[in-house]
Amino acid sequence: QVQLVESGGGLVQAGGSLRLSCAASGIIFSINNMRWYRQAPGKQRELVATITTVGNTNYADFVKGRFTISRDNAKNTVYLQMNSLKPEDTAVYYCNLEKFKWENYWGQGTQVTVSS
């Protein structure tokens, strides 16, 4: 019954921007940390950014200064603002809610393609 649905991906030229959204249903995510991951073909899934219940954020080194994670608890939605995009940012981006270590919820992913 829990669903996380990402949107906002697409094709953009290097240096451009996109804003990804992840809307949750079937669960109140305001009491849980939210994360964005990404996975490129042939590579392992990697953590991009985390936002806590109180708005504290952490970023992977490869996106610091370029990406911003935020959340709107009233809308049960987490966002990833992606600026200064690079071709190496090309990946499927997934949002994640970790209720417990053994109980994770994932969206279906949204494709981000950055052309050179």
Side-chain angles (χ1 to χ4, degrees), residues 2-10 18-25 29 34-39 45-46 48-49 69 75-80 82 91-97 104-112:
V2 177
Q3 288 188 313
L4 302 176
V5 180
E6 301 96 336
S7 61
L18 288 172
R19 190 177 78 155
L20 307 183
S21 300
C22 174
S25 62
F29 80 178
M34 295 293 297
R35 295 177 172 89
W36 284 97
Y37 287 79
R38 71 186 188 187
Q39 187 168 27
R45 185 171 296 186
E46 59 188 356
V48 175
I69 188 171
K75 297 181 178 180
N76 280 1
T77 301
V78 63
Y79 304 94
L80 186 68
M82 309 165 66
V92 177
Y93 284 72
Y94 300 89
C95 66
N96 166 263
L97 183 155
N104 275 259
Y105 297 97
W106 295 87
Q108 84 290 345
T110 186
Q111 177 70 49
V112 172

Side-chain angles (χ1 to χ4, degrees), residues 48 58-69 81-86:
V48 175
N58 288 283
Y59 298 93
D61 288 341
F62 53 81
V63 303
K64 283 183 178 178
R66 299 190 298 122
F67 291 9
T68 302
I69 188 171
Q81 178 66 47
M82 309 165 66
N83 298 326
S84 301
L85 283 162
K86 305 174 181 179

Side-chain angles (χ1 to χ4, degrees), residues 1-2 7 9 18 27 32 35 47 52 71 88 91 95 108:
Q1 295 184 29
V2 177
S7 61
L18 288 172
I27 192 169
N32 294 288
R35 295 177 172 89
L47 178 64
T52 71
R71 67 192 298 160
E88 52 263 44
C95 66
Q108 84 290 345

